Each structure stands twice: as structure tokens, then as C-alpha cells.
Amino acid sequence: MVIGASTGALEAVRQIIERLPPDCGAGVALVMHVGAHPSHLADILKWYAPLPVSFGQDGETFMPGHVYIAPSDLHMRLVPPGCIQLDRGAKLHFTRPAVDPLFASAAATFGRRTIGIILGGEGTDGAEGLRAIRARGGVALVQDPREAAVREMPEAAIAGDGPEIVPTRQLARRVASFCSSFAERRGG
């Protein structure tokens, strides 16, 4: 599961993270536009998450039941066979970390098992990556722009290839449901 967020989306991120079940069968990777500024996002989300939360480390295995956050000033990708890759490549959409590299790499690595979620924020980052997820048969969800503090990212994603528009509270419930279904598949 991959989540992209930016300006004004911390509350939506919190609502989703706190609803993750402790036995979540999916790994969660999050890009929030923080640029090169020091980020305390992992420490903030640890207060709410029933799962371990940490900044992704280059070469680390992307594990179910864990929330990985893109570190400041680094793009985060998920590469075969399911590892985190960090790089200081060119800024995309004027930002690093950017959502599109994470989403596109998750789609290429996990295909139809990928769930991509775009939350509020400025710009169009994430729209292209969400299209890549849909093209590989994954699930594309977008926060209802009317509920986003900044509507540009959700609106850009909606203009793409038919993502599902979901109110924030319902989005948190859907994510929890996906986590439970992944846990059932792993156990069975």
C-alpha cells in the first residue's frame, strides 16, 4: 500500500494510520512532501499507529505490518523482490521526495496487489503514479477533494484514469479492510 500526501494532509494521514489493524497484512509506504527539511513525521505517527513506523532505509525489505516513510530529500522506491531503494535523483514536480517514483515503482514491483492513495496537497505529484497503479490492475483511491485542505493533488489524480473518490473517514476504513484481507491471504 502506498500513500502520497502534501500540504495540509497530516490529519488525513493520521486518520488512516491510526485505523491500521495491528495484524495488518500489508506494508505501507508513505511519501509526504517535506523537501530537504528535517522531518519528525515518523515520531509524530508513532503516537497514533498500532504498527511500527520508521523512515525507510536503503536496501531494507518492505515488510507487511510496518509503515515506512520517505526520508527528507530522498525519493523512495519499492523494487524487486520487495526492497526499499532511496536516491537523491532529480526533483520531480519541484519536490524530493516525490510521490510518483514510489507509486510507479510499487506498480511495477507488486502489480495488481498495489493500493495507491492520494491525499491533499499542492501540485500534480502522484497523478501519473496512480495511473501506473491502475494500468497494472491495482486499486486507486483519492481523498475527496472537498475534504482536503489543499485540493490540487486529489483533483489532478481524479483527472486521470478513473480512481475511486472516497471521503476521508471512509478511506481510513477501506485501508483497514484492505490490511485485513491481505492478512487473511497470507494466513491462508
Side-chain angles (χ1 to χ4, degrees):
M1 186 173 317
V2 290
I3 302 172
S6 189
T7 309
L10 182 57
E11 177 59 20
V13 169
R14 183 195 61 79
Q15 286 182 38
I16 291 170
I17 296 300
E18 74 182 1
R19 297 285 308 250
L20 295 171
D23 63 344
C24 184
V28 179
L30 168 67
V31 166
M32 191 150 190
H33 294 158
V34 293
H37 306 288
S39 174
H40 301 284
L41 187 57
D43 292 330
I44 293 167
L45 293 179
K46 283 178 186 177
W47 284 93
Y48 304 101
L51 303 174
V53 178
S54 63
F55 290 106
Q57 301 291 317
D58 193 50
E60 181 177 13
T61 301
F62 182 64
M63 298 293 295
H66 196 103
V67 178
Y68 301 92
I69 300 169
S72 299
D73 206 29
L74 293 170
H75 293 306
M76 183 166 71
R77 292 177 170 81
L78 300 176
V79 298
C83 295
I84 294 172
Q85 180 183 65
L86 302 176
D87 68 72
R88 197 168 265 111
K91 290 182 179 183
L92 298 172
H93 308 285
F94 307 102
T95 190
R96 185 179 50 233
V99 177
D100 277 333
L102 173 63
F103 280 29
S105 66
T109 301
F110 297 108
R112 65 182 343 178
R113 296 179 298 153
T114 308
I115 299 163
I117 302 163
I118 292 289
L119 302 173
E122 295 177 358
T124 61
D125 189 21
E128 202 173 295
L130 204 62
R131 280 192 289 281
I133 289 170
R134 292 261 306 157
R136 297 278 183 132
V139 176
L141 305 173
V142 176
Q143 178 185 25
D144 187 332
R146 295 173 297 186
E147 295 183 2
V150 179
R151 302 165 70 149
E152 291 174 27
M153 282 175 59
E155 287 175 343
I158 291 167
D161 184 27
E164 185 179 346
I165 303 163
V166 185
T168 310
R169 284 194 176 144
Q170 212 174 43
L171 192 55
R173 285 192 293 272
R174 291 281 303 279
V175 168
S177 175
F178 283 127
C179 283
S180 295
S181 70
F182 278 115
E184 289 170 11
R185 282 187 230 153
R186 281 182 43 221

